[in-house]
Amino acid sequence: AQVATCSLEHCPRSDCLFCGNTSLTGTFACIPASSSETPAMPGTAAKETYTHGVRTQHDSHIPPERALQKLKEGNARFVSGKVTSSFDFKPEHRTALAVHGQNPMAAVLGCADSRCPIETLFDVQAGDVFVLRNAGNTLTHAEGSVVGSLEYCIGPLGAKLILVLGHTKCGAMMGATQMMLNAQKSTEASDPAKQTTLEKLLEGLGSVAAQAQQELRPDASADDIAAHTVNVNVFSGMARLLSYSESIREKVKSGEVELHGAVYDIVSGKVTFLGQHPLQMCL
């Protein structure tokens, strides 16, 4: 049987769902390395029809399973080179979004890496997705701007899907892995007062890199560890969202909102959908 313990070093809750207020420095031991899910092929569903040509507040909300399917279909078009959204968007659509308001079908937390343009790789238009990006698509310190923005998206805006999206060859994951490996060899603790903000961010990902290292063979290279850290970090981000945000947790628990993870391959263009976090069944 798989066992899970809390990986949150600074868990803000006294009744943490994942640690039971016991082991606040443990790590998840139930993170799958890959998924068998595959995206839909291009053209498998009819194109949506919107009141003003784009998604606005005059259109109904999309259920989470349909939103997820649309992201899969859009990525399949992107991979095949048959994108449509950039050609369909017209000047009057900008006016419609400004006048009638936004109604995104999903929120996506992705990496700030310039090689990972969220709207492009999912072949969606302005107004379709609510995008949040930072280095490493990370939530290591309960970032209020990210969590609060996601709460706004699934609250007032009515989105029913949150996707945490990592990507291959992530510089933040490599940096975190190298810092973790260096710390294992060093006899001196780092001085927070002398660290840059970037170094603090990477050090905060140390437990994620350490978990990835534990799940691989003992002689795994730094590149292998960093590559697996991408997946581990996606699941860690999902778990942190559920722990940090009561509103996200309750909506996921009720089934109103679904929280999924995925990884974008910057070489092939394909997004591999990893599914939901195993701990969601315990909510």
Side-chain angles (χ1 to χ4, degrees):
Q2 293 177 322
V3 178
T5 54
C6 186
S7 69
L8 307 185
E9 295 180 345
H10 306 288
C11 181
R13 303 181 58 215
S14 60
D15 59 341
C16 178
L17 293 172
F18 305 138
C19 66
N21 197 24
T22 54
S23 174
L24 298 184
T25 57
T27 51
F28 288 110
C30 61
I31 299 175
S34 62
S35 171
S36 60
E37 289 191 46
T38 56
M41 293 303 295
T44 57
K47 185 176 179 180
E48 301 283 349
T49 300
Y50 301 125
T51 304
H52 302 287
V54 289
R55 287 191 57 76
T56 70
Q57 291 181 2
H58 287 182
D59 299 297
S60 59
H61 298 310
I62 294 179
E65 61 275 9
R66 176 62 186 136
L68 186 65
Q69 183 65 22
K70 283 175 66 66
L71 293 181
K72 292 179 179 181
E73 292 168 359
N75 179 246
R77 291 193 300 273
F78 172 71
V79 171
S80 68
K82 299 178 181 179
V83 295
T84 60
S85 292
S86 60
F87 299 106
D88 291 342
F89 195 79
K90 299 177 175 59
E92 55 265 32
H93 294 154
R94 290 195 298 270
T95 301
L97 288 168
V99 173
H100 304 296
Q102 62 175 319
N103 179 18
M105 64 179 180
V108 180
L109 170 58
C111 183
D113 193 305
S114 61
R115 299 168 295 180
C116 307
I118 305 298
E119 289 90 347
T120 301
L121 65 90
F122 284 123
D123 190 29
V124 293
Q125 294 182 331
D128 283 340
V129 291
F130 190 89
V131 177
L132 300 163
R133 299 172 69 180
N134 62 25
N137 46 277
T138 181
L139 286 160
T140 55
H141 298 94
E143 286 82 354
S145 62
V146 173
V147 177
S149 296
L150 289 173
E151 290 180 344
Y152 172 66
C153 187
I154 65 170
L157 295 184
K160 307 301 181 185
L161 174 69
I162 298 175
L163 183 71
V164 179
L165 180 69
H167 70 93
T168 60
K169 300 184 181 296
C170 180
M173 298 304 105
M174 176 54 78
T177 297
Q178 196 59 60
M179 183 170 285
M180 180 270 296
L181 293 174
N182 291 341
Q184 290 177 350
K185 300 175 183 178
S186 176
T187 58
E188 298 182 3
S190 59
D191 183 357
K194 297 181 180 180
Q195 287 183 319
T196 65
T197 302
L198 173 60
E199 289 172 334
K200 292 177 181 178
L201 183 151
L202 296 178
E203 187 175 65
L205 288 165
S207 63
V208 178
Q211 176 64 29
Q213 182 186 40
Q214 292 170 12
E215 295 180 355
L216 298 176
R217 62 185 188 278
D219 61 342
S221 67
D223 286 343
D224 289 339
I225 297 171
H228 187 45
T229 299
V230 171
N231 285 46
V232 176
N233 185 54
V234 167
F235 281 91
S236 176
M238 295 163 66
R240 290 174 189 275
L241 283 176
L242 293 170
S243 181
Y244 294 153
S245 173
E246 181 178 2
S247 64
I248 293 176
R249 184 169 61 252
E250 291 304 314
K251 286 181 181 292
V252 169
K253 180 180 179 179
S254 70
E256 179 183 350
V257 169
E258 289 189 8
L259 173 61
H260 286 253
V263 173
Y264 170 61
D265 188 320
I266 67 170
V267 176
S268 70
K270 178 182 178 181
V271 173
T272 297
F273 292 84
L274 304 177
Q276 303 180 55
H277 197 291
L279 292 178
Q280 291 185 39
M281 66 183 68
C282 302
L283 293 178

